[in-house]
Amino acid sequence: MLTILFAARPDRWGDYEAPLNRAISDAGFTDFRVVTEAAPEEVDYIVYAPNSDLKDFSVFPRLKAILSLWAGVETIVGNPTITAPLCRMVDTGLREGMREWVTGHVLRYHLGMDAHINAEPGLWAPNVPPLARNRTVAILGLGELGTACAEALLTFGFNVTGWSRSPKSIPGVNSFHGDDGLLACLSGAEIVVLLLPDTPATQNTLNAQTLAVMPRGSFVINPGRGPLIDDEALLAALDNGQIAHATLDVFRVEPLPAEHPYWNHPKVTVTPHIASETRPETAADIVAENIKRSEQGVELLHLVDRNAGY
Ligand code: NAP
């Protein structure tokens, strides 16, 4: 009997119990159980959310893989008790959600929607936005989510640039990589979207120097992770007009503390880490596929490179 331990916040079990049982059964398994508690020596796989209380993986002698429900694995990747393969979540639901959230917020800035939503009644001030083809959007991080967002923005005609660690060739995207590539990617970008993982190499990617190469009056959208931005530098850039507005979904401390200046800043929109969430039905299929691969001795999907940190 395969024992699959579900280790996430207890309130998520109701969302995942049926999809996981359905997907693992669909993958051809009959002799298995998905449980929230088990004797450690009986556990074969752990379906894991990084905000679970489980932190010590050394107690599971026959653990074959840890299957994260989250795309971002920064809080678990350095865990020294992990010796089993660690996989992150790549889920069509997560991808679709991020594509929609990013497209919506890019269009808000591109169309200047706030000027009309917040206009004084009676003020007739026609402000015709440019076409998307005359607007450059930079996507920092051209992975699963960044690429999906870039492709969606291309369908509107945006001029899309992107930045990643390794060179990329995505049709229609002007791609850059490496340290020099970042400045080239940002110069000319009136809207920047951060979809990098949080690693030692990506922290403070947006800082005083990189914010300064963007055109004056640009916009920042961060659905990636809080540490990607030097908060002091962003606040200074908002205050001096270098950056016109920022939409921030993720923060160094979450929930964002009540006293944080972002909450009341007139040029900041805070969203509470809702840009995109793993969807149980589609994620369960990925989990089941990886269990099947593991049992067949086939390489797992979406393995985390623990040296790179993502
Ligand atoms: P991914 O597929 O691993 O893509 C990460 C991208 O970042 C890759 O293109 C990678 O380059 C690039 N990158 C990593 N380190 C870099 C560096 N030092 N310099 C330049 N580029 C670098 O990850 P994903 O699935 O797209 O997810 C991205 C992040 O989104 C997650 O890590 C998570 O933090 C965040 N997220 C947020 C939410 C939310 O609701 N707010 C939801 C899901 C995910 P290579 O292609 O060369 O490897």
Side-chain angles (χ1 to χ4, degrees), residues 50 70-79 197-199 224-225 227 273 309-310:
W70 292 12
V73 289
E74 69 278 1
T75 58
I76 177 186
V77 70
N79 185 323
D198 173 11
T199 72
R225 282 292 183 263
H273 201 144
Y310 68 102

Side-chain angles (χ1 to χ4, degrees), residues 68-115:
S68 174
L69 291 172
W70 292 12
V73 289
E74 69 278 1
T75 58
I76 177 186
V77 70
N79 185 323
T81 69
I82 296 179
T83 50
L86 170 64
C87 299
R88 61 189 207 91
M89 181 48 67
V90 174
D91 161 44
T92 51
L94 195 55
R95 199 184 291 122
E96 285 168 43
M98 189 60 81
R99 202 167 60 195
E100 292 170 20
W101 189 89
V102 165
T103 302
H105 287 280
V106 166
L107 286 173
R108 169 192 175 191
Y109 287 143
H110 168 62
L111 297 173
M113 289 182 185
D114 290 17

